[in-house]
């Protein structure tokens, strides 16, 4: 009944929080895991597992994403599941004083990173006519928040991209799921 045994899961995000807990669970379930994050700071008990590959890179950088997927396929032969988990949120309670760099960081991480990773995963999944792309969208993609309108915009965008992607790749045997 172990659906993840010998499946390769590519996950974005660091060693703590949702990503860290998810990686531990995936490894316990027998998955091979490639983790891409800006920091490769994983605990030794995770780093030493033969079914785990830590890849340092930035989801906002196209060359980093392409290289990371290449390393994952070289190590484990495929990508069966993509978990778009990397995300950043910064309060912006006054748009009149919001910094453009804050806007760009959120949009580039939360939307561009999702696009780049999904695009690379689909290239691999299309060949097998199967795969699953999971994106952590957050409730901020469903309702507005006066203290974080830029974060909400990035998550509304991610939700729209995920929904359109689901319609586009369903005929290819690829499933797309959003998680709040």
């Amino acid at each position: 009944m172990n659906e993840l045994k010998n499946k390769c899961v590519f996950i974005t995000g660091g060693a703590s929080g949702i990503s860290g807990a998810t990686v531990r669970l995936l490894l316990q379930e027998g998955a091979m895991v490639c983790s891409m994050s800006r920091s490769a700071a994983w605990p030794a008990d995770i780093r030493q597992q033969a079914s785990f590959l830590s890849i340092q890179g930035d989801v906002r950088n196209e060359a980093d994403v392409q290289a990371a997927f290449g390393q994952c396929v070289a190590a484990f032969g495929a990508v069966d599941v993509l978990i778009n988990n990397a995300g950043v949120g910064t309060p912006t309670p006054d748009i009149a004083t919001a910094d453009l760099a804050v806007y760009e960081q959120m949009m580039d991480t939360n939307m561009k990173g999702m696009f780049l990773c999904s695009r690379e995963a689909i290239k691999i999944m299309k060949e097998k006519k199967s795969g699953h792309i999971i994106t952590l969208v957050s409730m901020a993609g469903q309702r507005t928040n006066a203290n974080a309108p830029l974060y909400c915009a990035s998550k509304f965008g991610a939700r729209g991209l995920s929904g359109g992607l689901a319609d586009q790749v369903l005929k290819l045997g690829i499933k797309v799921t959003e998680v709040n």
Side-chain angles (χ1 to χ4, degrees):
M1 181 145 140
N2 194 340
E3 295 177 32
L4 293 171
K5 187 149 184 75
N6 299 319
K7 298 285 185 181
C8 180
V9 180
F10 189 105
I11 185 169
T12 62
S16 63
I18 293 170
S19 181
T22 302
V23 166
R24 285 186 183 282
L25 182 60
L26 290 167
L27 290 169
Q28 287 172 6
E29 292 296 317
M32 298 170 288
V33 179
C34 293
S35 170
M36 179 185 183
S37 64
R38 291 181 297 198
S39 166
W42 285 90
D45 67 313
I46 299 290
R47 272 194 332 266
Q48 294 169 355
Q49 294 195 39
S51 58
F52 177 75
L53 176 63
S54 176
I55 304 166
Q56 191 166 0
D58 191 333
V59 296
R60 302 172 296 178
N61 182 293
E62 183 176 28
D64 283 2
V65 171
Q66 289 171 336
F69 275 85
Q71 290 175 50
C72 186
V73 170
F76 299 124
V79 173
D80 300 295
V81 179
L82 165 64
I83 302 176
N84 286 308
N85 178 64
V88 64
T90 303
T92 50
D94 183 359
I95 287 291
T97 61
D99 188 349
L100 179 60
V102 169
Y103 168 85
E104 289 173 339
Q105 180 189 36
M106 279 190 275
M107 295 301 171
D108 284 355
T109 303
N110 299 348
M111 286 183 53
K112 180 180 168 186
M114 176 196 163
F115 157 69
L116 292 173
C117 290
S118 296
R119 182 180 68 181
E120 293 306 309
I122 289 167
K123 289 176 186 177
I124 298 162
M125 293 172 180
K126 277 172 89 169
E127 293 178 21
K128 298 183 323 156
K129 295 184 171 39
S130 70
H132 194 169
I133 297 172
I134 302 165
T135 300
L136 281 72
V137 178
S138 158
M139 289 304 292
Q142 291 186 350
R143 348 177 230 236
T144 59
N145 178 334
N147 288 314
L150 297 180
Y151 179 68
C152 289
S154 73
K155 291 302 186 170
F156 269 85
R159 180 173 294 284
L161 178 57
S162 185
L165 186 58
D167 294 338
Q168 191 176 85
V169 300
L170 180 63
K171 65 186 176 291
L172 302 172
I174 302 168
K175 183 178 177 181
V176 178
T177 306
E178 302 165 6
V179 177
N180 291 324

